[in-house]
């Protein structure tokens, strides 16, 4: 089972390393952040960059969410859910399956490429192959695609790097 914890801006990496070092194996099987590749233009050319897919969100894999919540209590100061609110939100199984298919075991979403023919998007390489129906919007200038995903509670839409090679 996956849970997500929204951290204060800039604190996610530090909290992730601390969780790996200090939490028990019974409570925490894995902690990770999703990353994705995007193209960015600067200094007159395009560069491939790796960014966080969900900024300041940590994903924690556990079989015992109650024990994980107890062991995460010292980290409450670094979580956005202050006071008595829950720090952890469970990730629905359909969202977990979607993210596993999209990003794999490395929790990383590489660039995809494709083309548009007669107004229909065709993805020819990358993890978005076969997911053309999930593409809601393409920004050809920024080389990004907005993907419809079953991720309830995530403020930002899922954006994936997609380079459109040709359009006819």
């Amino acid at each position: 089972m996956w849970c997500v914890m929204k951290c204060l801006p800039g604190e996610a990496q530090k909290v992730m390393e601390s969780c790996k070092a200090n939490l028990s194996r019974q409570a925490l099987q894995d902690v990770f952040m999703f990353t994705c590749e995007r193209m960015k233009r600067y200094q007159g050319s395009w560069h491939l960059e790796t960014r966080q897919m969900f900024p300041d969100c940590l994903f924690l894999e556990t079989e015992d969410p109650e024990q994980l919540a107890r062991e995460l209590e010292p980290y409450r100061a670094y979580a956005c859910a202050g006071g008595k609110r829950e720090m952890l939100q469970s990730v629905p199984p359909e969202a977990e399956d979607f993210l596993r298919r999209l990003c794999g075991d490395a929790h990383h979403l590489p660039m995809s490429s494709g083309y548009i023919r007669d107004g229909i998007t065709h993805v020819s390489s990358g993890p978005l192959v076969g997911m053309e129906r999930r593409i809601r919007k393409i920004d050809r200038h920024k080389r990004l695609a907005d993907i419809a995903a079953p991720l309830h509670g995530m403020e930002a839409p899922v954006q994936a790097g997609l380079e459109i090679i040709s359009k006819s």
Side-chain angles (χ1 to χ4, degrees):
M1 171 181 188
W2 285 359
C3 297
V4 65
M5 181 171 102
K6 181 95 167 123
C7 296
L8 294 173
E11 299 290 334
Q13 186 69 36
K14 183 169 65 172
V15 172
M16 184 172 77
E17 291 168 6
S18 179
C19 286
K20 284 181 180 178
N22 298 319
L23 298 184
S24 71
R25 297 296 298 162
Q26 293 83 15
L28 181 68
Q29 294 172 326
D30 194 12
V31 58
F32 52 89
M33 290 185 283
F34 283 98
T35 57
C36 63
E37 291 179 351
R38 295 182 180 183
M39 297 296 286
K40 182 98 172 167
R41 186 174 173 89
Y42 54 89
Q43 297 177 345
S45 62
W46 286 95
H47 301 270
L48 188 64
E49 291 186 345
T50 300
R51 294 188 172 178
Q52 288 183 6
M53 228 166 119
F54 307 106
D56 302 315
C57 285
L58 284 181
F59 288 80
L60 302 103
E61 187 172 358
T62 184
E63 288 184 6
D64 189 355
E66 290 82 21
Q67 182 177 353
L68 179 61
R70 284 192 301 273
E71 291 190 25
L72 279 175
E73 199 55 42
Y75 296 94
R76 185 171 287 280
Y78 299 102
C80 283
K84 296 287 183 192
R85 289 186 43 215
E86 292 293 321
M87 283 193 309
L88 293 175
Q89 294 178 337
S90 63
V91 177
E94 63 272 7
E96 185 177 331
D97 291 341
F98 173 76
L99 288 171
R100 281 185 198 273
R101 259 189 332 209
L102 198 62
C103 300
D105 292 334
H107 313 296
H108 179 73
L109 178 61
M111 283 286 294
S112 295
S113 63
Y115 58 92
I116 299 174
R117 180 162 297 132
D118 299 326
I120 299 172
T121 304
H122 301 275
V123 180
S124 54
S125 68
L128 295 180
V129 171
M131 293 193 179
E132 290 87 354
R133 289 187 173 167
R134 289 191 174 271
I135 297 173
R136 296 294 173 242
K137 178 182 169 192
I138 296 174
D139 186 337
R140 291 184 63 206
H141 178 70
K142 293 183 180 179
R143 300 179 183 185
L144 290 174
D146 286 345
I147 308 298
L151 302 174
H152 306 292
M154 300 299 244
E155 298 87 30
V158 175
Q159 289 190 326
L162 175 63
E163 185 170 17
I164 299 297
I165 307 287
S166 66
K167 181 177 179 180
S168 61

